[in-house]
mmCIF file of all heavy atoms in Angstrom:
data_model
loop_
_atom_site.group_PDB
_atom_site.id
_atom_site.type_symbol
_atom_site.label_atom_id
_atom_site.label_comp_id
_atom_site.label_asym_id
_atom_site.label_seq_id
_atom_site.Cartn_x
_atom_site.Cartn_y
_atom_site.Cartn_z
ATOM 1 N N MET A 1 182.836 -112.648 89.473
ATOM 2 C CA MET A 1 182.443 -112.669 88.087
ATOM 3 C C MET A 1 181.330 -111.666 87.905
ATOM 4 O O MET A 1 180.414 -111.559 88.667
ATOM 5 C CB MET A 1 181.948 -114.068 87.646
ATOM 6 C CG MET A 1 183.079 -115.124 87.645
ATOM 7 S SD MET A 1 184.433 -114.682 86.567
ATOM 8 C CE MET A 1 185.584 -116.068 86.835
ATOM 9 N N ALA A 2 181.406 -110.914 86.812
ATOM 10 C CA ALA A 2 180.347 -109.949 86.569
ATOM 11 C C ALA A 2 179.150 -110.585 85.836
ATOM 12 O O ALA A 2 179.353 -111.533 85.061
ATOM 13 C CB ALA A 2 180.980 -108.814 85.706
ATOM 14 N N ASP A 3 178.018 -110.040 86.074
ATOM 15 C CA ASP A 3 176.814 -110.596 85.475
ATOM 16 C C ASP A 3 176.770 -110.232 84.000
ATOM 17 O O ASP A 3 176.254 -110.984 83.185
ATOM 18 C CB ASP A 3 175.583 -110.133 86.174
ATOM 19 C CG ASP A 3 175.519 -110.542 87.637
ATOM 20 O OD1 ASP A 3 176.039 -111.681 87.856
ATOM 21 O OD2 ASP A 3 174.993 -109.883 88.463
ATOM 22 N N THR A 4 177.392 -109.084 83.702
ATOM 23 C CA THR A 4 177.339 -108.615 82.336
ATOM 24 C C THR A 4 178.691 -108.689 81.711
ATOM 25 O O THR A 4 179.690 -108.272 82.305
ATOM 26 C CB THR A 4 176.862 -107.136 82.264
ATOM 27 O OG1 THR A 4 175.626 -107.013 82.933
ATOM 28 C CG2 THR A 4 176.664 -106.732 80.809
ATOM 29 N N GLN A 5 178.786 -109.285 80.598
ATOM 30 C CA GLN A 5 180.027 -109.410 79.864
ATOM 31 C C GLN A 5 179.979 -108.626 78.544
ATOM 32 O O GLN A 5 178.918 -108.265 78.109
ATOM 33 C CB GLN A 5 180.348 -110.846 79.634
ATOM 34 C CG GLN A 5 179.367 -111.534 78.697
ATOM 35 C CD GLN A 5 179.684 -113.023 78.513
ATOM 36 O OE1 GLN A 5 180.448 -113.617 79.302
ATOM 37 N NE2 GLN A 5 179.123 -113.626 77.468
ATOM 38 N N LYS A 6 181.180 -108.441 78.022
ATOM 39 C CA LYS A 6 181.241 -107.672 76.775
ATOM 40 C C LYS A 6 180.619 -108.475 75.634
ATOM 41 O O LYS A 6 180.637 -109.696 75.591
ATOM 42 C CB LYS A 6 182.705 -107.401 76.466
ATOM 43 C CG LYS A 6 182.948 -106.632 75.162
ATOM 44 C CD LYS A 6 184.339 -106.483 74.851
ATOM 45 C CE LYS A 6 184.537 -105.914 73.424
ATOM 46 N NZ LYS A 6 183.961 -106.803 72.454
ATOM 47 N N CYS A 7 180.071 -107.681 74.708
ATOM 48 C CA CYS A 7 179.495 -108.316 73.548
ATOM 49 C C CYS A 7 180.495 -109.158 72.787
ATOM 50 O O CYS A 7 181.660 -108.807 72.669
ATOM 51 C CB CYS A 7 178.949 -107.202 72.566
ATOM 52 S SG CYS A 7 178.237 -107.784 71.055
ATOM 53 N N ALA A 8 180.056 -110.311 72.321
ATOM 54 C CA ALA A 8 180.964 -111.260 71.693
ATOM 55 C C ALA A 8 181.448 -110.729 70.301
ATOM 56 O O ALA A 8 182.376 -111.374 69.731
ATOM 57 C CB ALA A 8 180.311 -112.583 71.546
ATOM 58 N N HIS A 9 180.824 -109.731 69.769
ATOM 59 C CA HIS A 9 181.210 -109.150 68.478
ATOM 60 C C HIS A 9 182.568 -108.428 68.666
ATOM 61 O O HIS A 9 182.697 -107.528 69.466
ATOM 62 C CB HIS A 9 180.164 -108.235 67.993
ATOM 63 C CG HIS A 9 180.404 -107.818 66.550
ATOM 64 N ND1 HIS A 9 181.169 -108.526 65.676
ATOM 65 C CD2 HIS A 9 179.955 -106.712 65.889
ATOM 66 C CE1 HIS A 9 181.133 -107.867 64.508
ATOM 67 N NE2 HIS A 9 180.432 -106.788 64.616
ATOM 68 N N PRO A 10 183.585 -108.870 67.924
ATOM 69 C CA PRO A 10 184.931 -108.316 68.119
ATOM 70 C C PRO A 10 184.916 -106.789 67.964
ATOM 71 O O PRO A 10 185.716 -106.151 68.589
ATOM 72 C CB PRO A 10 185.765 -108.955 66.964
ATOM 73 C CG PRO A 10 184.996 -110.212 66.678
ATOM 74 C CD PRO A 10 183.577 -109.913 66.919
ATOM 75 N N ALA A 11 184.165 -106.277 67.066
ATOM 76 C CA ALA A 11 184.184 -104.826 66.757
ATOM 77 C C ALA A 11 183.255 -104.015 67.612
ATOM 78 O O ALA A 11 183.101 -102.851 67.484
ATOM 79 C CB ALA A 11 183.847 -104.598 65.304
ATOM 80 N N CYS A 12 182.545 -104.718 68.573
ATOM 81 C CA CYS A 12 181.651 -104.059 69.482
ATOM 82 C C CYS A 12 182.182 -103.859 70.798
ATOM 83 O O CYS A 12 182.870 -104.761 71.382
ATOM 84 C CB CYS A 12 180.358 -104.879 69.470
ATOM 85 S SG CYS A 12 179.082 -104.004 70.385
ATOM 86 N N ASN A 13 181.936 -102.734 71.414
ATOM 87 C CA ASN A 13 182.398 -102.409 72.779
ATOM 88 C C ASN A 13 181.235 -102.366 73.790
ATOM 89 O O ASN A 13 181.421 -101.980 74.901
ATOM 90 C CB ASN A 13 183.142 -101.114 72.755
ATOM 91 C CG ASN A 13 184.406 -101.215 71.930
ATOM 92 O OD1 ASN A 13 185.119 -102.225 72.025
ATOM 93 N ND2 ASN A 13 184.702 -100.196 71.199
ATOM 94 N N CYS A 14 180.082 -102.769 73.307
ATOM 95 C CA CYS A 14 178.883 -102.730 74.191
ATOM 96 C C CYS A 14 178.891 -103.866 75.135
ATOM 97 O O CYS A 14 179.673 -104.814 75.031
ATOM 98 C CB CYS A 14 177.607 -102.732 73.364
ATOM 99 S SG CYS A 14 177.583 -101.381 72.137
ATOM 100 N N LYS A 15 177.986 -103.849 76.110
ATOM 101 C CA LYS A 15 177.811 -104.968 77.024
ATOM 102 C C LYS A 15 176.662 -105.890 76.521
ATOM 103 O O LYS A 15 175.624 -105.386 76.106
ATOM 104 C CB LYS A 15 177.438 -104.449 78.396
ATOM 105 C CG LYS A 15 178.601 -103.658 79.028
ATOM 106 C CD LYS A 15 178.220 -103.170 80.427
ATOM 107 C CE LYS A 15 179.373 -102.436 81.064
ATOM 108 N NZ LYS A 15 178.976 -101.923 82.418
ATOM 109 N N ALA A 16 176.973 -107.135 76.624
ATOM 110 C CA ALA A 16 175.991 -108.112 76.148
ATOM 111 C C ALA A 16 174.785 -108.107 77.043
ATOM 112 O O ALA A 16 174.842 -107.886 78.237
ATOM 113 C CB ALA A 16 176.601 -109.479 76.081
ATOM 114 N N GLU A 17 173.615 -108.397 76.446
ATOM 115 C CA GLU A 17 172.402 -108.481 77.254
ATOM 116 C C GLU A 17 172.391 -109.762 78.132
ATOM 117 O O GLU A 17 173.029 -110.764 77.748
ATOM 118 C CB GLU A 17 171.177 -108.498 76.308
ATOM 119 C CG GLU A 17 171.089 -107.201 75.551
ATOM 120 C CD GLU A 17 169.815 -107.198 74.667
ATOM 121 O OE1 GLU A 17 169.217 -108.303 74.486
ATOM 122 O OE2 GLU A 17 169.404 -106.126 74.223
ATOM 123 N N PRO A 18 171.682 -109.741 79.233
ATOM 124 C CA PRO A 18 171.625 -110.903 80.123
ATOM 125 C C PRO A 18 171.089 -112.124 79.365
ATOM 126 O O PRO A 18 170.040 -112.021 78.667
ATOM 127 C CB PRO A 18 170.638 -110.425 81.187
ATOM 128 C CG PRO A 18 170.704 -108.932 81.184
ATOM 129 C CD PRO A 18 170.970 -108.529 79.801
ATOM 130 N N GLY A 19 171.810 -113.175 79.437
ATOM 131 C CA GLY A 19 171.344 -114.383 78.779
ATOM 132 C C GLY A 19 171.749 -114.494 77.354
ATOM 133 O O GLY A 19 171.480 -115.429 76.649
ATOM 134 N N SER A 20 172.474 -113.470 76.912
ATOM 135 C CA SER A 20 172.904 -113.405 75.482
ATOM 136 C C SER A 20 174.400 -113.063 75.446
ATOM 137 O O SER A 20 174.932 -112.444 76.362
ATOM 138 C CB SER A 20 172.136 -112.402 74.674
ATOM 139 O OG SER A 20 172.585 -112.374 73.364
ATOM 140 N N ARG A 21 175.034 -113.530 74.380
ATOM 141 C CA ARG A 21 176.457 -113.212 74.253
ATOM 142 C C ARG A 21 176.610 -111.959 73.441
ATOM 143 O O ARG A 21 177.770 -111.510 73.194
ATOM 144 C CB ARG A 21 177.163 -114.370 73.557
ATOM 145 C CG ARG A 21 177.081 -115.670 74.385
ATOM 146 C CD ARG A 21 177.806 -116.812 73.661
ATOM 147 N NE ARG A 21 179.218 -116.579 73.605
ATOM 148 C CZ ARG A 21 180.080 -117.362 73.107
ATOM 149 N NH1 ARG A 21 179.678 -118.515 72.552
ATOM 150 N NH2 ARG A 21 181.400 -117.075 73.065
ATOM 151 N N TYR A 22 175.520 -111.365 72.986
ATOM 152 C CA TYR A 22 175.628 -110.169 72.148
ATOM 153 C C TYR A 22 174.763 -109.033 72.711
ATOM 154 O O TYR A 22 173.816 -109.388 73.486
ATOM 155 C CB TYR A 22 175.205 -110.499 70.685
ATOM 156 C CG TYR A 22 176.082 -111.506 70.109
ATOM 157 C CD1 TYR A 22 175.664 -112.900 70.181
ATOM 158 C CD2 TYR A 22 177.243 -111.228 69.439
ATOM 159 C CE1 TYR A 22 176.487 -113.880 69.595
ATOM 160 C CE2 TYR A 22 178.052 -112.256 68.879
ATOM 161 C CZ TYR A 22 177.666 -113.588 68.923
ATOM 162 O OH TYR A 22 178.374 -114.546 68.430
ATOM 163 N N CYS A 23 175.056 -107.852 72.296
ATOM 164 C CA CYS A 23 174.309 -106.695 72.822
ATOM 165 C C CYS A 23 172.978 -106.499 72.045
ATOM 166 O O CYS A 23 172.105 -105.807 72.511
ATOM 167 C CB CYS A 23 175.155 -105.468 72.821
ATOM 168 S SG CYS A 23 175.427 -104.804 71.170
ATOM 169 N N SER A 24 173.007 -107.021 70.856
ATOM 170 C CA SER A 24 171.849 -106.734 69.981
ATOM 171 C C SER A 24 171.719 -107.806 68.907
ATOM 172 O O SER A 24 172.650 -108.657 68.715
ATOM 173 C CB SER A 24 171.969 -105.408 69.334
ATOM 174 O OG SER A 24 173.119 -105.429 68.481
ATOM 175 N N THR A 25 170.647 -107.817 68.176
ATOM 176 C CA THR A 25 170.459 -108.772 67.146
ATOM 177 C C THR A 25 171.443 -108.574 66.017
ATOM 178 O O THR A 25 171.911 -109.527 65.396
ATOM 179 C CB THR A 25 169.073 -108.650 66.543
ATOM 180 O OG1 THR A 25 168.113 -108.773 67.515
ATOM 181 C CG2 THR A 25 168.767 -109.729 65.490
ATOM 182 N N TYR A 26 171.821 -107.306 65.841
ATOM 183 C CA TYR A 26 172.820 -107.051 64.795
ATOM 184 C C TYR A 26 174.146 -107.783 65.094
ATOM 185 O O TYR A 26 174.719 -108.453 64.175
ATOM 186 C CB TYR A 26 173.124 -105.513 64.803
ATOM 187 C CG TYR A 26 174.234 -105.178 63.837
ATOM 188 C CD1 TYR A 26 174.013 -105.021 62.467
ATOM 189 C CD2 TYR A 26 175.572 -105.064 64.348
ATOM 190 C CE1 TYR A 26 175.117 -104.679 61.621
ATOM 191 C CE2 TYR A 26 176.590 -104.742 63.494
ATOM 192 C CZ TYR A 26 176.360 -104.589 62.157
ATOM 193 O OH TYR A 26 177.397 -104.295 61.333
ATOM 194 N N CYS A 27 174.581 -107.680 66.280
ATOM 195 C CA CYS A 27 175.908 -108.314 66.644
ATOM 196 C C CYS A 27 175.716 -109.855 66.597
ATOM 197 O O CYS A 27 176.648 -110.577 66.252
ATOM 198 C CB CYS A 27 176.313 -107.839 67.991
ATOM 199 S SG CYS A 27 176.854 -106.125 68.048
ATOM 200 N N HIS A 28 174.540 -110.295 66.982
ATOM 201 C CA HIS A 28 174.300 -111.767 66.939
ATOM 202 C C HIS A 28 174.409 -112.262 65.520
ATOM 203 O O HIS A 28 174.932 -113.350 65.283
ATOM 204 C CB HIS A 28 172.946 -112.017 67.479
ATOM 205 C CG HIS A 28 172.607 -113.507 67.524
ATOM 206 N ND1 HIS A 28 172.088 -114.180 66.412
ATOM 207 C CD2 HIS A 28 172.718 -114.405 68.463
ATOM 208 C CE1 HIS A 28 171.987 -115.423 66.771
ATOM 209 N NE2 HIS A 28 172.321 -115.621 67.990
ATOM 210 N N ASP A 29 173.919 -111.484 64.600
ATOM 211 C CA ASP A 29 173.963 -111.869 63.209
ATOM 212 C C ASP A 29 175.350 -111.677 62.609
ATOM 213 O O ASP A 29 175.773 -112.386 61.731
ATOM 214 C CB ASP A 29 172.956 -111.092 62.401
ATOM 215 C CG ASP A 29 172.875 -111.549 60.935
ATOM 216 O OD1 ASP A 29 172.617 -112.688 60.715
ATOM 217 O OD2 ASP A 29 173.081 -110.690 60.067
ATOM 218 N N ALA A 30 176.038 -110.627 63.094
ATOM 219 C CA ALA A 30 177.359 -110.271 62.534
ATOM 220 C C ALA A 30 178.449 -110.907 63.468
ATOM 221 O O ALA A 30 179.636 -110.559 63.237
ATOM 222 C CB ALA A 30 177.538 -108.788 62.492
ATOM 223 N N GLY A 31 178.067 -111.709 64.405
ATOM 224 C CA GLY A 31 179.042 -112.308 65.276
ATOM 225 C C GLY A 31 180.145 -113.009 64.592
ATOM 226 O O GLY A 31 181.290 -113.025 65.070
ATOM 227 N N LYS A 32 179.791 -113.671 63.484
ATOM 228 C CA LYS A 32 180.768 -114.445 62.788
ATOM 229 C C LYS A 32 181.513 -113.660 61.709
ATOM 230 O O LYS A 32 182.393 -114.180 61.083
ATOM 231 C CB LYS A 32 180.153 -115.705 62.124
ATOM 232 C CG LYS A 32 179.524 -116.647 63.256
ATOM 233 C CD LYS A 32 178.975 -117.799 62.561
ATOM 234 C CE LYS A 32 178.371 -118.802 63.643
ATOM 235 N NZ LYS A 32 177.732 -119.967 63.012
ATOM 236 N N THR A 33 181.102 -112.451 61.527
ATOM 237 C CA THR A 33 181.594 -111.582 60.512
ATOM 238 C C THR A 33 182.612 -110.582 61.103
ATOM 239 O O THR A 33 182.308 -109.888 62.077
ATOM 240 C CB THR A 33 180.536 -110.817 59.750
ATOM 241 O OG1 THR A 33 179.593 -111.746 59.275
ATOM 242 C CG2 THR A 33 181.124 -110.004 58.629
ATOM 243 N N VAL A 34 183.785 -110.554 60.567
ATOM 244 C CA VAL A 34 184.790 -109.618 61.054
ATOM 245 C C VAL A 34 184.583 -108.258 60.407
ATOM 246 O O VAL A 34 184.674 -108.087 59.199
ATOM 247 C CB VAL A 34 186.233 -110.127 60.754
ATOM 248 C CG1 VAL A 34 187.246 -109.122 61.224
ATOM 249 C CG2 VAL A 34 186.420 -111.497 61.406
ATOM 250 N N GLU A 35 184.316 -107.279 61.184
ATOM 251 C CA GLU A 35 184.049 -105.937 60.646
ATOM 252 C C GLU A 35 184.988 -104.914 61.294
ATOM 253 O O GLU A 35 185.441 -105.162 62.419
ATOM 254 C CB GLU A 35 182.615 -105.544 60.867
ATOM 255 C CG GLU A 35 181.577 -106.475 60.207
ATOM 256 C CD GLU A 35 180.200 -106.018 60.500
ATOM 257 O OE1 GLU A 35 179.860 -105.779 61.617
ATOM 258 O OE2 GLU A 35 179.440 -105.927 59.527
ATOM 259 N N LEU A 36 185.248 -103.842 60.624
ATOM 260 C CA LEU A 36 186.115 -102.824 61.182
ATOM 261 C C LEU A 36 185.379 -102.022 62.168
ATOM 262 O O LEU A 36 186.021 -101.470 63.115
ATOM 263 C CB LEU A 36 186.650 -101.954 60.001
ATOM 264 C CG LEU A 36 187.469 -102.647 58.986
ATOM 265 C CD1 LEU A 36 187.859 -101.687 57.919
ATOM 266 C CD2 LEU A 36 188.681 -103.261 59.582
ATOM 267 N N SER A 37 184.090 -101.922 62.088
ATOM 268 C CA SER A 37 183.335 -101.131 63.007
ATOM 269 C C SER A 37 181.992 -101.832 63.238
ATOM 270 O O SER A 37 181.554 -102.597 62.507
ATOM 271 C CB SER A 37 183.152 -99.727 62.470
ATOM 272 O OG SER A 37 182.475 -99.755 61.238
ATOM 273 N N CYS A 38 181.354 -101.371 64.311
ATOM 274 C CA CYS A 38 180.133 -102.003 64.669
ATOM 275 C C CYS A 38 178.968 -101.018 64.316
ATOM 276 O O CYS A 38 179.060 -99.824 64.447
ATOM 277 C CB CYS A 38 180.106 -102.254 66.174
ATOM 278 S SG CYS A 38 178.570 -103.016 66.760
ATOM 279 N N ASN A 39 177.863 -101.602 63.947
ATOM 280 C CA ASN A 39 176.684 -100.821 63.536
ATOM 281 C C ASN A 39 175.454 -101.207 64.370
ATOM 282 O O ASN A 39 174.316 -101.212 63.900
ATOM 283 C CB ASN A 39 176.364 -101.035 62.034
ATOM 284 C CG ASN A 39 177.356 -100.299 61.149
ATOM 285 O OD1 ASN A 39 177.730 -99.188 61.390
ATOM 286 N ND2 ASN A 39 177.827 -100.987 60.137
ATOM 287 N N CYS A 40 175.742 -101.593 65.522
ATOM 288 C CA CYS A 40 174.606 -102.021 66.429
ATOM 289 C C CYS A 40 173.677 -100.798 66.800
ATOM 290 O O CYS A 40 172.573 -101.052 67.124
ATOM 291 C CB CYS A 40 175.191 -102.624 67.702
ATOM 292 S SG CYS A 40 176.008 -101.510 68.798
ATOM 293 N N GLY A 41 174.272 -99.649 66.711
ATOM 294 C CA GLY A 41 173.485 -98.463 66.923
ATOM 295 C C GLY A 41 173.401 -97.948 68.385
ATOM 296 O O GLY A 41 172.861 -96.927 68.704
ATOM 297 N N HIS A 42 174.081 -98.687 69.227
ATOM 298 C CA HIS A 42 174.152 -98.248 70.596
ATOM 299 C C HIS A 42 175.082 -96.997 70.787
ATOM 300 O O HIS A 42 176.094 -96.942 70.108
ATOM 301 C CB HIS A 42 174.700 -99.392 71.492
ATOM 302 C CG HIS A 42 173.767 -100.476 71.679
ATOM 303 N ND1 HIS A 42 174.078 -101.808 71.676
ATOM 304 C CD2 HIS A 42 172.367 -100.462 71.858
ATOM 305 C CE1 HIS A 42 173.003 -102.553 71.817
ATOM 306 N NE2 HIS A 42 171.965 -101.748 71.959
ATOM 307 N N PRO A 43 174.680 -96.069 71.648
ATOM 308 C CA PRO A 43 175.456 -94.904 71.808
ATOM 309 C C PRO A 43 176.844 -95.255 72.452
ATOM 310 O O PRO A 43 176.990 -96.109 73.308
ATOM 311 C CB PRO A 43 174.691 -94.103 72.869
ATOM 312 C CG PRO A 43 173.782 -95.078 73.497
ATOM 313 C CD PRO A 43 173.506 -96.100 72.453
ATOM 314 N N GLY A 44 177.903 -94.576 71.915
ATOM 315 C CA GLY A 44 179.221 -94.814 72.430
ATOM 316 C C GLY A 44 179.968 -95.912 71.658
ATOM 317 O O GLY A 44 181.140 -96.170 71.856
ATOM 318 N N CYS A 45 179.220 -96.546 70.731
ATOM 319 C CA CYS A 45 179.794 -97.625 69.928
ATOM 320 C C CYS A 45 179.991 -97.160 68.468
ATOM 321 O O CYS A 45 179.183 -96.383 67.989
ATOM 322 C CB CYS A 45 178.881 -98.868 69.962
ATOM 323 S SG CYS A 45 179.702 -100.307 69.311
ATOM 324 N N ALA A 46 181.041 -97.575 67.874
ATOM 325 C CA ALA A 46 181.316 -97.212 66.510
ATOM 326 C C ALA A 46 181.317 -95.708 66.382
ATOM 327 O O ALA A 46 180.704 -95.108 65.569
ATOM 328 C CB ALA A 46 180.273 -97.837 65.552
ATOM 329 N N GLU A 47 182.202 -95.115 67.203
ATOM 330 C CA GLU A 47 182.221 -93.654 67.207
ATOM 331 C C GLU A 47 182.757 -93.096 65.862
ATOM 332 O O GLU A 47 182.476 -91.998 65.526
ATOM 333 C CB GLU A 47 183.127 -93.155 68.291
ATOM 334 C CG GLU A 47 182.580 -93.514 69.696
ATOM 335 C CD GLU A 47 183.506 -93.017 70.794
ATOM 336 O OE1 GLU A 47 184.637 -92.572 70.485
ATOM 337 O OE2 GLU A 47 183.070 -93.066 71.946
ATOM 338 N N GLU A 48 183.448 -93.952 65.196
ATOM 339 C CA GLU A 48 184.043 -93.495 63.892
ATOM 340 C C GLU A 48 182.980 -93.256 62.835
ATOM 341 O O GLU A 48 183.198 -92.634 61.837
ATOM 342 C CB GLU A 48 185.010 -94.529 63.383
ATOM 343 C CG GLU A 48 186.229 -94.689 64.300
ATOM 344 C CD GLU A 48 187.205 -95.705 63.796
ATOM 345 O OE1 GLU A 48 186.941 -96.220 62.703
ATOM 346 O OE2 GLU A 48 188.203 -95.948 64.388
ATOM 347 N N LEU A 49 181.767 -93.806 63.077
ATOM 348 C CA LEU A 49 180.725 -93.658 62.115
ATOM 349 C C LEU A 49 179.930 -92.382 62.309
ATOM 350 O O LEU A 49 179.144 -92.006 61.461
ATOM 351 C CB LEU A 49 179.770 -94.848 62.230
ATOM 352 C CG LEU A 49 180.415 -96.216 61.858
ATOM 353 C CD1 LEU A 49 179.334 -97.291 62.021
ATOM 354 C CD2 LEU A 49 180.872 -96.184 60.371
ATOM 355 N N THR A 50 180.184 -91.740 63.381
ATOM 356 C CA THR A 50 179.471 -90.494 63.662
ATOM 357 C C THR A 50 179.949 -89.387 62.701
ATOM 358 O O THR A 50 181.110 -89.057 62.620
ATOM 359 C CB THR A 50 179.673 -89.998 65.100
ATOM 360 O OG1 THR A 50 181.085 -89.966 65.333
ATOM 361 C CG2 THR A 50 179.041 -90.933 66.037
ATOM 362 N N HIS A 51 178.974 -88.860 61.960
ATOM 363 C CA HIS A 51 179.273 -87.851 60.903
ATOM 364 C C HIS A 51 179.195 -86.470 61.592
ATOM 365 O O HIS A 51 180.164 -85.726 61.622
ATOM 366 C CB HIS A 51 178.325 -87.923 59.737
ATOM 367 C CG HIS A 51 178.431 -89.240 59.021
ATOM 368 N ND1 HIS A 51 179.416 -89.503 58.058
ATOM 369 C CD2 HIS A 51 177.711 -90.362 59.096
ATOM 370 C CE1 HIS A 51 179.308 -90.725 57.619
ATOM 371 N NE2 HIS A 51 178.249 -91.279 58.226
ATOM 372 N N SER A 52 178.025 -86.136 62.045
ATOM 373 C CA SER A 52 177.876 -84.838 62.645
ATOM 374 C C SER A 52 176.770 -84.887 63.630
ATOM 375 O O SER A 52 175.789 -85.620 63.515
ATOM 376 C CB SER A 52 177.627 -83.710 61.578
ATOM 377 O OG SER A 52 176.413 -84.058 60.905
ATOM 378 N N GLY A 53 176.850 -84.072 64.710
ATOM 379 C CA GLY A 53 175.858 -84.084 65.778
ATOM 380 C C GLY A 53 176.058 -85.146 66.715
ATOM 381 O O GLY A 53 175.304 -85.736 67.227
HETATM 382 ZN ZN1 ZN B 1 178.289 -102.233 69.039
HETATM 383 ZN ZN1 ZN B 2 177.421 -105.637 70.235
#
């Protein structure tokens, strides 16, 4: 078993923080909300939101 598991947020691809089921407070708050994309702000997540740069 891995110590780190995926964030519980369906739309998030980040790894959850130790002792938490979510990678960030954003996902913890949006955990019950179904979203098309994640806005946790972590790099590599929600790539569709990247506009430029
Ligand atoms: Zn995310
Ligand atoms: Zn997350």
